[in-house]
Amino acid sequence: MTDPLPRAADAEHLTEPLRRSGAVGAARVSHAAVMSAQKKLRSHTWRLRLDYEGRAEDGPGSVILKTGHRDGAGRPATTNDREIAFYRDVAPALPARLERSAPRCFDR
C-alpha cells in the first residue's frame, strides 16, 4: 500500500512557494506526478515532476518534497530544522560552483 501524498504535493499548493521565490512568475503548477518515493525511519521523501500552465522558464522541472511522519492527530511528529535551515539559509550563500549543485528550498 502506498501512503497518500500530503497536501503540500497538490499542484495548487506547490504554486504558492514557487511564486513567492520568484521561480514561476505568473505561471502555475498544473500537475505534479510522483517520479519516486522513499519512506524512511523519520521521513517520507517524494520526487515530483511538475507540469505548468503558462510560462515558467525558471520553474523547476521537478522538486523534492520531504515530510516528517505524522502523529495520531495528523501533525508532523518530527521536523528537521537544521536540514531546512541549511537548504534555506546556508546553501544559497555557498560559492557559486557549490551553490549551483545544492537544491533550493522553496517552502518549509
Side-chain angles (χ1 to χ4, degrees):
M1 182 174 142
T2 304
D3 290 320
L5 287 170
R7 182 186 179 298
D10 293 344
E12 181 178 323
H13 183 83
L14 289 165
T15 298
E16 294 309 312
L18 292 171
R19 277 194 181 145
R20 278 195 309 271
S21 72
V24 297
R28 72 176 193 82
V29 177
S30 59
H31 181 72
V34 176
M35 296 171 68
S36 64
Q38 286 187 324
K39 185 175 183 178
K40 294 188 177 183
L41 183 62
R42 294 174 43 122
S43 64
H44 290 253
T45 304
W46 295 271
R47 184 176 188 95
L48 305 173
R49 180 182 50 79
L50 305 181
D51 294 323
Y52 294 96
E53 184 176 290
R55 291 182 56 146
E57 293 170 359
D58 293 332
S62 67
V63 294
I64 295 172
L65 173 64
K66 185 173 183 179
T67 65
H69 293 297
R70 301 290 174 175
D71 65 13
R75 297 179 304 260
T78 61
T79 60
N80 193 338
D81 293 329
R82 285 187 277 176
E83 182 179 14
I84 293 166
F86 174 81
Y87 289 113
R88 185 192 59 219
D89 304 328
V90 177
L94 292 171
R97 65 182 170 72
L98 296 174
E99 188 267 335
R100 284 189 298 267
S101 62
R104 289 179 61 189
C105 181
F106 294 107
D107 200 11
R108 180 178 186 351

XYZ file of all heavy atoms in Angstrom:
834
model
N 0.844 -1.189 0.000
C 0.000 0.000 0.000
C 0.885 1.247 0.000
O 1.839 1.351 0.742
C -0.895 -0.011 1.229
C -1.831 1.156 1.279
S -2.962 0.972 2.676
C -3.044 2.660 3.177
N 0.561 2.194 -0.829
C 1.300 3.441 -0.926
C 0.668 4.473 -0.005
O -0.550 4.620 0.025
C 1.274 3.967 -2.374
O 1.782 2.955 -3.225
C 2.110 5.205 -2.506
N 1.493 5.193 0.736
C 0.976 6.250 1.593
C 0.431 7.376 0.726
O 1.001 7.692 -0.323
C 2.085 6.795 2.494
C 2.503 5.791 3.544
O 1.621 5.117 4.103
O 3.707 5.679 3.794
N -0.670 8.003 1.170
C -1.215 9.109 0.377
C -0.262 10.297 0.381
O 0.492 10.511 1.337
C -2.520 9.452 1.101
C -2.347 8.922 2.482
C -1.422 7.750 2.386
N -0.300 11.046 -0.692
C 0.530 12.253 -0.777
C -0.037 13.326 0.143
O -1.255 13.469 0.271
C 0.553 12.781 -2.205
C 1.369 11.984 -3.193
C 1.117 12.478 -4.606
C 2.841 12.069 -2.860
N 0.832 14.109 0.772
C 0.344 15.200 1.621
C -0.193 16.345 0.765
O 0.086 16.432 -0.438
C 1.595 15.631 2.385
C 2.724 15.229 1.513
C 2.281 13.992 0.785
N -0.936 17.239 1.394
C -1.499 18.390 0.690
C -0.399 19.218 0.018
O -0.606 19.824 -1.023
C -2.280 19.272 1.667
C -2.924 20.464 0.964
C -3.572 21.399 1.971
N -4.192 22.559 1.385
C -3.579 23.512 0.695
N -2.308 23.421 0.426
N -4.236 24.564 0.236
N 0.785 19.225 0.588
C 1.898 20.001 0.021
C 2.264 19.535 -1.383
O 2.954 20.250 -2.104
C 3.114 19.911 0.936
N 1.808 18.356 -1.807
C 2.102 17.849 -3.147
C 1.044 18.257 -4.167
O 1.205 17.997 -5.359
C 2.217 16.323 -3.123
N -0.031 18.917 -3.728
C -1.069 19.378 -4.651
C -0.515 20.480 -5.551
O 0.238 21.345 -5.095
C -2.273 19.950 -3.899
C -3.036 18.925 -3.107
O -2.855 17.710 -3.347
O -3.819 19.343 -2.222
N -0.905 20.457 -6.810
C -0.421 21.455 -7.768
C -0.691 22.874 -7.278
O 0.187 23.743 -7.353
C -1.071 21.223 -9.135
N -1.872 23.115 -6.745
C -2.216 24.458 -6.264
C -1.306 24.864 -5.108
O -0.816 25.985 -5.052
C -3.672 24.484 -5.811
C -4.131 25.836 -5.315
C -5.593 25.826 -4.915
O -6.392 25.155 -5.575
O -5.916 26.511 -3.925
N -1.055 23.951 -4.201
C -0.189 24.260 -3.059
C 1.256 24.495 -3.504
O 1.923 25.379 -2.981
C -0.242 23.138 -2.022
C 0.568 23.436 -0.810
N 0.097 24.202 0.231
C 1.837 23.103 -0.489
C 1.036 24.322 1.144
N 2.104 23.654 0.725
N 1.743 23.725 -4.460
C 3.110 23.877 -4.954
C 3.331 25.221 -5.637
O 4.426 25.782 -5.592
C 3.456 22.742 -5.919
C 3.641 21.372 -5.282
C 3.617 20.293 -6.350
C 4.932 21.325 -4.489
N 2.310 25.741 -6.271
C 2.425 27.009 -6.991
C 2.824 28.155 -6.068
O 3.680 28.976 -6.423
C 1.108 27.347 -7.716
O 0.831 26.325 -8.675
C 1.180 28.690 -8.423
N 2.243 28.215 -4.888
C 2.469 29.363 -3.996
C 3.922 29.549 -3.585
O 4.470 30.643 -3.749
C 1.541 29.276 -2.778
C 0.081 29.433 -3.124
C -0.210 30.671 -3.970
O 0.281 31.766 -3.616
O -0.904 30.546 -4.990
N 4.608 28.534 -3.044
C 6.018 28.771 -2.688
C 6.903 29.032 -3.903
O 7.876 29.792 -3.818
C 6.441 27.504 -1.947
C 5.400 26.495 -2.238
C 4.156 27.228 -2.598
N 6.575 28.446 -5.048
C 7.358 28.714 -6.260
C 7.175 30.155 -6.712
O 8.117 30.797 -7.170
C 6.978 27.731 -7.370
C 7.382 26.277 -7.125
C 6.767 25.367 -8.169
C 8.895 26.143 -7.091
N 5.969 30.692 -6.553
C 5.736 32.111 -6.881
C 6.459 33.019 -5.893
O 7.097 33.992 -6.295
C 4.238 32.425 -6.862
C 3.558 32.069 -8.133
C 2.185 32.690 -8.223
N 1.566 32.280 -9.461
C 0.280 32.049 -9.617
N -0.539 32.218 -8.596
N -0.194 31.671 -10.771
N 6.335 32.716 -4.602
C 6.991 33.549 -3.577
C 8.496 33.619 -3.812
O 9.119 34.651 -3.563
C 6.722 32.990 -2.175
C 5.398 33.392 -1.581
C 5.345 33.115 -0.089
N 5.738 31.778 0.289
C 4.919 30.726 0.378
N 3.633 30.871 0.099
N 5.371 29.546 0.743
N 9.082 32.536 -4.283
C 10.530 32.514 -4.514
C 10.919 33.160 -5.841
O 12.093 33.315 -6.125
C 11.030 31.072 -4.499
O 10.603 30.397 -5.662
N 9.924 33.487 -6.680
C 10.201 34.079 -7.983
C 10.530 33.067 -9.066
O 10.930 33.437 -10.165
N 10.336 31.782 -8.785
C 10.708 30.734 -9.739
C 9.725 30.582 -10.892
O 10.110 30.117 -11.959
C 10.860 29.390 -9.026
N 8.468 30.962 -10.710
C 7.495 30.717 -11.783
C 6.738 31.944 -12.261
O 5.986 31.859 -13.204
C 6.470 29.624 -11.390
C 7.152 28.306 -11.178
C 5.637 30.023 -10.201
N 6.905 33.090 -11.663
C 6.178 34.271 -12.106
C 4.683 34.056 -12.057
O 4.151 33.573 -11.066
N 3.989 34.356 -13.159
C 2.532 34.216 -13.195
C 2.079 32.802 -13.551
O 0.896 32.501 -13.491
C 1.952 35.210 -14.204
N 2.999 31.937 -13.930
C 2.626 30.561 -14.272
C 2.126 29.841 -13.027
O 2.302 30.299 -11.901
C 3.825 29.818 -14.850
N 1.479 28.708 -13.253
C 1.039 27.896 -12.116
C 1.331 26.439 -12.401
O 1.364 26.015 -13.558
C -0.429 28.105 -11.812
C -1.381 27.512 -12.812
C -2.844 27.687 -12.365
N -3.711 26.863 -13.172
C -3.936 25.567 -12.991
N -3.349 24.923 -12.018
N -4.743 24.896 -13.783
N 1.556 25.687 -11.345
C 1.744 24.244 -11.484
C 0.387 23.651 -11.819
O -0.597 23.872 -11.108
C 2.300 23.617 -10.179
C 2.431 22.111 -10.312
C 3.641 24.244 -9.826
N 0.302 22.940 -12.927
C -0.975 22.340 -13.328
C -1.069 20.874 -12.927
O -2.164 20.333 -12.803
C -1.181 22.473 -14.838
O -0.133 21.829 -15.534
N 0.090 20.230 -12.714
C 0.077 18.812 -12.348
C 1.418 18.445 -11.716
O 2.459 18.931 -12.148
C -0.164 17.940 -13.591
C -0.222 16.485 -13.305
N -1.277 15.893 -12.653
C 0.662 15.501 -13.540
C -1.043 14.603 -12.529
N 0.139 14.335 -13.057
N 1.352 17.606 -10.703
C 2.563 17.071 -10.068
C 2.439 15.549 -10.070
O 1.469 15.006 -9.568
C 2.704 17.596 -8.648
N 3.416 14.872 -10.671
C 3.406 13.415 -10.760
C 4.572 12.845 -9.958
O 5.682 13.372 -10.003
C 3.527 12.971 -12.216
N 4.324 11.775 -9.232
C 5.368 11.142 -8.430
C 6.339 10.419 -9.350
O 5.943 9.557 -10.131
C 4.756 10.150 -7.416
C 5.853 9.414 -6.660
C 3.820 10.866 -6.459
N 7.613 10.792 -9.267
C 8.665 10.118 -10.018
C 9.282 9.009 -9.163
O 9.670 7.967 -9.683
C 9.746 11.122 -10.425
C 9.246 12.187 -11.376
S 10.463 13.506 -11.640
C 11.737 12.646 -12.533
N 9.405 9.272 -7.858
C 9.930 8.271 -6.934
C 9.472 8.628 -5.525
O 9.090 9.772 -5.257
C 11.456 8.195 -7.002
O 12.029 9.421 -6.585
N 9.514 7.643 -4.655
C 9.119 7.861 -3.265
C 9.946 6.963 -2.363
O 10.288 5.839 -2.739
C 7.636 7.565 -3.088
N 10.282 7.485 -1.197
C 11.007 6.705 -0.197
C 10.398 6.964 1.167
O 10.125 8.116 1.526
C 12.475 7.108 -0.128
C 13.319 6.644 -1.259
C 14.787 6.965 -1.001
O 15.115 7.989 -0.439
N 15.653 6.065 -1.411
N 10.205 5.901 1.910
C 9.756 6.023 3.295
C 10.913 5.573 4.170
O 11.381 4.450 4.054
C 8.522 5.165 3.536
C 7.926 5.332 4.901
C 6.637 4.546 5.011
C 5.995 4.780 6.354
N 4.713 4.047 6.455
N 11.374 6.481 5.020
C 12.494 6.178 5.898
C 12.022 6.214 7.349
O 10.847 6.446 7.630
C 13.634 7.162 5.669
C 14.237 7.020 4.278
C 15.462 7.854 4.135
C 16.075 7.616 2.758
N 17.304 8.352 2.594
N 12.951 6.010 8.249
C 12.631 5.934 9.661
C 11.916 7.178 10.173
O 10.947 7.084 10.912
C 13.909 5.686 10.468
C 13.753 5.497 11.965
C 12.902 4.267 12.256
C 15.108 5.347 12.625
N 12.382 8.363 9.765
C 11.816 9.614 10.279
C 11.074 10.448 9.253
O 10.513 11.488 9.593
C 12.935 10.459 10.877
C 13.555 9.845 12.096
C 14.746 10.649 12.574
N 14.526 12.080 12.568
C 14.629 12.862 13.618
N 14.958 12.365 14.770
N 14.438 14.153 13.520
N 11.091 10.040 7.983
C 10.508 10.918 6.967
C 10.012 10.158 5.746
O 10.329 8.999 5.538
C 11.551 11.949 6.512
O 12.625 11.284 5.874
N 9.215 10.882 4.964
C 8.797 10.454 3.626
C 9.422 11.445 2.655
O 9.406 12.651 2.901
C 7.277 10.544 3.454
C 6.503 9.564 4.231
N 5.887 8.485 3.669
C 6.219 9.496 5.549
C 5.258 7.804 4.595
N 5.441 8.398 5.749
N 9.932 10.943 1.542
C 10.513 11.815 0.525
C 9.939 11.424 -0.833
O 9.936 10.252 -1.188
C 12.050 11.681 0.490
O 12.564 11.959 1.791
C 12.663 12.643 -0.514
N 9.435 12.420 -1.557
C 8.895 12.210 -2.904
C 9.639 13.112 -3.877
O 9.918 14.268 -3.571
C 7.412 12.583 -2.976
C 6.507 11.738 -2.166
C 5.885 10.591 -2.554
C 6.062 11.991 -0.828
N 5.091 10.113 -1.531
C 5.199 10.952 -0.461
C 6.335 12.988 0.109
C 4.588 10.881 0.781
C 5.742 12.917 1.344
C 4.874 11.872 1.669
N 9.942 12.617 -5.052
C 10.419 13.461 -6.150
C 9.222 13.627 -7.076
O 8.645 12.639 -7.542
C 11.593 12.841 -6.890
C 12.141 13.783 -7.954
C 13.379 13.210 -8.622
N 13.962 14.207 -9.469
C 14.951 15.023 -9.120
N 15.468 14.956 -7.925
N 15.436 15.901 -9.968
N 8.834 14.861 -7.317
C 7.646 15.181 -8.104
C 8.045 15.874 -9.405
O 8.815 16.837 -9.386
C 6.717 16.109 -7.306
C 6.294 15.630 -5.923
C 5.533 16.732 -5.194
C 5.450 14.372 -6.028
N 7.533 15.389 -10.523
C 7.713 16.055 -11.819
C 6.589 17.069 -11.950
O 5.424 16.767 -11.699
C 7.643 15.054 -12.966
C 7.841 15.729 -14.345
C 7.713 14.752 -15.490
N 6.530 13.923 -15.438
C 5.302 14.309 -15.799
N 5.089 15.531 -16.240
N 4.289 13.473 -15.740
N 6.939 18.287 -12.342
C 5.956 19.363 -12.417
C 5.638 19.731 -13.853
O 6.525 19.839 -14.690
C 6.479 20.610 -11.695
C 6.902 20.435 -10.234
C 7.368 21.771 -9.670
C 5.785 19.840 -9.402
N 4.340 19.925 -14.118
C 3.865 20.484 -15.378
C 3.274 21.850 -15.052
O 2.682 22.046 -13.985
C 2.784 19.597 -16.003
C 3.314 18.242 -16.423
O 4.464 18.164 -16.890
O 2.579 17.249 -16.280
N 3.435 22.787 -15.980
C 2.989 24.155 -15.743
C 1.944 24.594 -16.754
O 1.921 24.129 -17.895
C 4.176 25.124 -15.840
C 5.205 24.921 -14.763
C 6.342 24.144 -15.002
C 5.056 25.503 -13.517
C 7.298 23.962 -14.019
C 6.011 25.323 -12.529
C 7.120 24.546 -12.788
O 8.062 24.361 -11.818
N 1.148 25.547 -16.323
C 0.241 26.273 -17.211
C 0.785 27.697 -17.256
O 0.915 28.353 -16.218
C -1.176 26.255 -16.647
C -2.193 26.912 -17.547
C -3.581 26.757 -16.957
O -4.080 25.623 -16.947
O -4.139 27.778 -16.507
N 1.135 28.159 -18.417
C 1.762 29.466 -18.552
C 3.270 29.326 -18.660
O 3.814 28.231 -18.598
N 3.962 30.450 -18.818
C 5.422 30.440 -18.988
C 6.109 30.345 -17.636
O 5.961 31.215 -16.800
C 5.857 31.703 -19.705
C 5.389 31.721 -21.154
C 5.881 32.953 -21.828
N 7.345 33.010 -21.691
C 8.152 33.498 -22.600
N 7.659 34.008 -23.695
N 9.448 33.508 -22.420
N 6.863 29.288 -17.461
C 7.620 29.080 -16.217
C 9.052 28.723 -16.583
O 9.562 27.679 -16.212
C 6.970 27.985 -15.388
N 9.701 29.615 -17.316
C 11.040 29.339 -17.833
C 12.042 28.991 -16.734
O 12.911 28.160 -16.924
C 11.544 30.529 -18.643
C 10.742 30.738 -19.907
C 11.091 32.041 -20.578
O 11.935 32.796 -20.073
O 10.506 32.315 -21.637
N 11.933 29.637 -15.589
C 12.856 29.369 -14.485
C 12.286 28.372 -13.484
O 12.922 28.092 -12.471
C 13.214 30.671 -13.760
C 14.030 31.597 -14.649
O 14.737 31.101 -15.539
O 13.944 32.824 -14.452
N 11.094 27.875 -13.748
C 10.481 26.924 -12.836
C 11.173 25.572 -12.892
O 11.586 25.116 -13.952
N 11.316 24.929 -11.748
C 11.976 23.623 -11.742
C 11.123 22.571 -12.440
O 9.893 22.599 -12.360
C 12.122 23.312 -10.254
C 11.039 24.091 -9.586
C 10.878 25.330 -10.414
N 11.775 21.654 -13.128
C 11.064 20.545 -13.769
C 10.632 19.498 -12.766
O 9.699 18.742 -13.005
N 11.318 19.481 -11.632
C 10.942 18.566 -10.564
C 11.336 19.185 -9.228
O 12.187 20.082 -9.169
C 11.616 17.204 -10.743
O 13.007 17.306 -10.581
N 10.702 18.717 -8.179
C 11.019 19.144 -6.826
C 11.074 17.918 -5.931
O 10.524 16.863 -6.261
C 10.002 20.159 -6.251
C 10.039 21.467 -7.012
C 8.605 19.576 -6.228
N 11.743 18.079 -4.812
C 11.770 17.035 -3.801
C 10.932 17.534 -2.633
O 11.154 18.635 -2.117
C 13.207 16.733 -3.348
C 13.986 16.163 -4.532
C 13.213 15.777 -2.150
C 15.464 16.005 -4.289
N 9.961 16.728 -2.247
C 9.091 17.043 -1.124
C 9.435 16.073 -0.008
O 9.379 14.858 -0.201
C 7.623 16.893 -1.528
C 6.599 17.023 -0.410
C 6.623 18.430 0.182
C 5.214 16.699 -0.941
N 9.828 16.622 1.131
C 10.205 15.782 2.256
C 9.370 16.182 3.462
O 9.302 17.366 3.804
C 11.693 15.945 2.571
C 12.183 15.017 3.657
C 13.694 15.107 3.787
C 14.209 14.135 4.824
N 15.679 14.196 4.926
N 8.719 15.205 4.085
C 7.908 15.475 5.258
C 8.253 14.482 6.357
O 8.657 13.352 6.083
C 6.400 15.350 4.958
O 6.096 13.991 4.618
C 5.971 16.268 3.835
N 8.073 14.922 7.596
C 8.202 14.008 8.716
C 6.959 13.143 8.789
O 5.906 13.486 8.236
N 7.068 12.016 9.477
C 5.894 11.176 9.695
C 4.876 11.945 10.530
O 5.219 12.858 11.270
C 6.292 9.886 10.411
C 7.157 8.991 9.581
N 6.730 8.429 8.404
C 8.441 8.585 9.752
C 7.704 7.700 7.891
N 8.761 7.783 8.680
N 3.629 11.560 10.424
C 2.546 12.211 11.164
C 2.265 11.454 12.459
O 2.378 10.240 12.508
C 1.274 12.258 10.317
C 1.430 12.991 8.997
C 1.590 14.432 9.240
N 1.886 15.151 7.996
C 1.981 16.452 7.941
N 1.803 17.179 9.006
N 2.273 17.045 6.816
N 1.841 12.202 13.486
C 1.427 11.548 14.713
C -0.049 11.161 14.594
O -0.660 11.341 13.538
C 1.700 12.437 15.936
C 0.867 13.722 15.949
O -0.104 13.852 15.162
O 1.189 14.606 16.764
N -0.630 10.644 15.648
C -2.023 10.191 15.616
C -3.023 11.283 15.283
O -4.102 11.009 14.780
N -2.668 12.544 15.550
C -3.563 13.668 15.261
C -3.298 14.273 13.892
O -3.906 15.272 13.523
C -3.416 14.735 16.343
N -2.368 13.703 13.123
C -2.083 14.212 11.790
C -1.056 15.318 11.743
O -0.802 15.888 10.692
N -0.449 15.652 12.869
C 0.593 16.686 12.908
C 1.952 16.045 12.649
O 2.148 14.876 12.955
C 0.608 17.361 14.279
C -0.656 18.105 14.617
C -0.529 18.717 16.008
N -0.219 17.695 17.003
C -1.108 17.128 17.829
N -2.367 17.479 17.762
N -0.733 16.207 18.707
N 2.904 16.806 12.129
C 4.249 16.235 11.942
C 4.814 15.783 13.285
O 4.791 16.530 14.265
C 5.064 17.386 11.366
C 4.055 18.330 10.799
C 2.813 18.177 11.635
N 5.279 14.548 13.353
C 5.845 14.020 14.586
C 7.274 14.506 14.778
O 7.751 14.618 15.898
C 5.793 12.491 14.575
N 7.975 14.787 13.691
C 9.345 15.280 13.771
C 9.555 16.345 12.703
O 8.860 16.364 11.687
C 10.377 14.158 13.514
O 10.174 13.636 12.208
C 10.257 13.051 14.539
N 10.495 17.212 12.949
C 10.933 18.155 11.918
C 12.450 18.172 11.955
O 13.058 17.858 12.967
C 10.414 19.592 12.162
O 10.911 20.057 13.417
C 8.909 19.657 12.127
N 13.020 18.509 10.862
C 14.472 18.597 10.814
C 14.836 20.043 10.524
O 15.172 20.405 9.399
C 15.042 17.652 9.759
C 16.533 17.495 9.929
O 17.192 18.353 10.523
N 17.068 16.412 9.416
N 14.762 20.852 11.562
C 15.002 22.281 11.415
C 16.403 22.591 10.903
O 16.589 23.541 10.158
C 14.757 23.007 12.737
C 13.295 22.977 13.151
O 12.430 22.965 12.245
O 13.013 22.964 14.353
N 17.390 21.787 11.286
C 18.754 22.045 10.813
C 18.880 21.794 9.310
O 19.553 22.530 8.605
C 19.760 21.213 11.590
C 19.989 21.768 12.985
C 21.087 21.057 13.678
N 20.511 19.850 14.258
C 21.189 18.923 14.885
N 22.491 19.032 15.004
N 20.594 17.880 15.397
N 18.244 20.743 8.823
C 18.291 20.469 7.384
C 17.586 21.580 6.607
O 18.089 22.063 5.586
C 17.650 19.117 7.086
C 17.704 18.743 5.621
C 17.089 17.383 5.326
O 16.386 16.812 6.184
O 17.311 16.902 4.214
N 16.438 21.989 7.099
C 15.694 23.077 6.453
C 16.544 24.349 6.437
O 16.659 25.015 5.405
C 14.353 23.329 7.172
C 13.425 22.127 6.976
C 13.693 24.611 6.672
C 12.230 22.113 7.900
N 17.149 24.682 7.567
C 17.970 25.891 7.652
C 19.151 25.828 6.688
O 19.517 26.836 6.073
C 18.467 26.100 9.082
N 19.746 24.647 6.532
C 20.864 24.537 5.600
C 20.421 24.887 4.183
O 21.043 25.727 3.523
C 21.475 23.133 5.619
C 22.529 22.965 4.557
C 23.812 23.429 4.769
C 22.221 22.400 3.327
C 24.788 23.321 3.776
C 23.181 22.281 2.337
C 24.467 22.743 2.562
N 19.362 24.243 3.684
C 18.937 24.477 2.302
C 18.345 25.863 2.098
O 18.437 26.429 1.019
C 17.965 23.394 1.843
C 18.652 22.075 1.645
C 18.385 20.985 2.461
C 19.612 21.915 0.648
C 19.049 19.775 2.280
C 20.272 20.716 0.462
C 19.981 19.656 1.286
O 20.641 18.470 1.108
N 17.739 26.433 3.140
C 17.132 27.752 3.015
C 18.143 28.874 3.194
O 18.110 29.879 2.477
C 15.994 27.887 4.044
C 15.207 29.182 3.917
C 14.300 29.412 5.099
N 15.115 29.465 6.310
C 14.748 28.932 7.481
N 13.608 28.308 7.598
N 15.548 29.036 8.531
N 19.079 28.722 4.168
C 19.944 29.830 4.550
C 21.412 29.657 4.153
O 22.046 30.607 3.716
C 19.883 30.034 6.078
C 18.467 30.250 6.572
O 17.649 30.837 5.829
O 18.156 29.833 7.704
N 21.948 28.474 4.332
C 23.377 28.256 4.101
C 23.680 28.000 2.618
O 24.577 28.619 2.049
C 23.913 27.105 4.982
C 25.377 26.834 4.687
C 23.698 27.427 6.457
N 22.947 27.082 1.996
C 23.241 26.709 0.606
C 23.262 27.911 -0.346
O 24.169 28.008 -1.177
C 22.260 25.644 0.121
N 22.305 28.850 -0.244
C 22.371 29.992 -1.165
C 23.601 30.877 -0.970
O 23.973 31.631 -1.864
C 21.095 30.787 -0.857
C 20.173 29.804 -0.241
C 21.059 28.859 0.521
N 24.245 30.793 0.188
C 25.422 31.623 0.461
C 26.734 30.927 0.106
O 27.800 31.513 0.250
C 25.437 32.007 1.945
N 26.660 29.688 -0.387
C 27.866 28.963 -0.783
C 28.487 29.606 -2.027
O 27.792 30.292 -2.787
C 27.521 27.507 -1.096
C 27.087 26.637 0.075
C 26.575 25.283 -0.432
C 28.220 26.435 1.055
N 29.781 29.380 -2.270
C 30.375 29.855 -3.525
C 29.574 29.319 -4.720
O 29.015 28.222 -4.654
C 31.783 29.257 -3.494
C 32.063 28.991 -2.049
C 30.726 28.667 -1.434
N 29.518 30.080 -5.783
C 28.661 29.758 -6.936
C 28.834 28.334 -7.433
O 27.852 27.661 -7.746
C 28.919 30.750 -8.064
N 30.050 27.836 -7.515
C 30.249 26.479 -8.042
C 29.602 25.426 -7.149
O 29.172 24.391 -7.632
C 31.727 26.188 -8.259
C 32.555 26.167 -7.006
C 34.034 25.914 -7.307
N 34.878 26.122 -6.179
C 34.950 25.327 -5.124
N 34.213 24.249 -5.089
N 35.738 25.607 -4.111
N 29.501 25.677 -5.850
C 28.846 24.735 -4.931
C 27.350 25.005 -4.836
O 26.541 24.086 -4.770
C 29.471 24.827 -3.531
C 30.925 24.427 -3.423
C 31.452 24.704 -2.029
C 31.092 22.964 -3.782
N 26.980 26.275 -4.827
C 25.576 26.660 -4.677
C 24.725 26.105 -5.809
O 23.586 25.703 -5.600
C 25.470 28.195 -4.602
C 24.090 28.705 -4.261
C 23.262 29.027 -5.483
O 23.854 29.311 -6.533
O 22.032 28.987 -5.382
N 25.274 26.045 -7.021
C 24.504 25.542 -8.168
C 24.117 24.081 -8.001
O 23.135 23.636 -8.562
C 25.293 25.730 -9.463
C 25.307 27.149 -9.973
C 25.906 27.216 -11.366
N 27.289 26.776 -11.416
C 28.345 27.571 -11.301
N 28.169 28.857 -11.134
N 29.563 27.093 -11.352
N 24.896 23.319 -7.242
C 24.595 21.904 -7.097
C 23.731 21.598 -5.868
O 23.286 20.474 -5.698
C 25.897 21.090 -7.022
O 26.643 21.474 -5.889
N 23.481 22.601 -5.029
C 22.638 22.380 -3.851
C 21.174 22.637 -4.200
O 20.858 23.616 -4.876
C 23.071 23.310 -2.726
N 20.269 21.796 -3.752
C 18.838 22.044 -4.004
C 18.393 23.342 -3.346
O 18.924 23.745 -2.313
C 18.128 20.860 -3.342
C 19.173 19.824 -3.165
C 20.472 20.553 -3.020
N 17.430 24.013 -3.968
C 16.840 25.208 -3.382
C 15.710 24.814 -2.450
O 15.019 23.826 -2.702
C 16.269 26.121 -4.477
C 17.325 26.792 -5.304
C 16.729 27.655 -6.375
N 15.914 28.729 -5.816
C 15.135 29.518 -6.549
N 15.059 29.350 -7.849
N 14.431 30.467 -5.982
N 15.498 25.572 -1.421
C 14.384 25.347 -0.506
C 13.307 26.379 -0.857
O 13.525 27.577 -0.727
C 14.842 25.523 0.946
S 13.538 25.228 2.141
N 12.148 25.913 -1.301
C 11.066 26.802 -1.705
C 10.051 27.034 -0.596
O 9.308 27.993 -0.617
C 10.346 26.251 -2.932
C 11.196 26.222 -4.163
C 11.674 25.019 -4.660
C 11.543 27.384 -4.824
C 12.467 24.981 -5.791
C 12.334 27.367 -5.959
C 12.803 26.163 -6.444
N 9.990 26.107 0.366
C 8.979 26.218 1.418
C 9.418 25.406 2.616
O 10.237 24.504 2.505
C 7.629 25.708 0.904
C 6.446 26.202 1.722
O 6.611 27.103 2.562
O 5.341 25.690 1.507
N 8.893 25.689 3.728
C 9.188 24.951 4.958
C 8.151 23.913 5.195
O 7.045 23.960 5.034
C 9.247 25.916 6.126
C 9.557 25.218 7.436
C 9.661 26.182 8.550
N 10.069 25.768 9.811
C 10.253 24.552 10.283
N 10.074 23.524 9.558
N 10.631 24.341 11.526
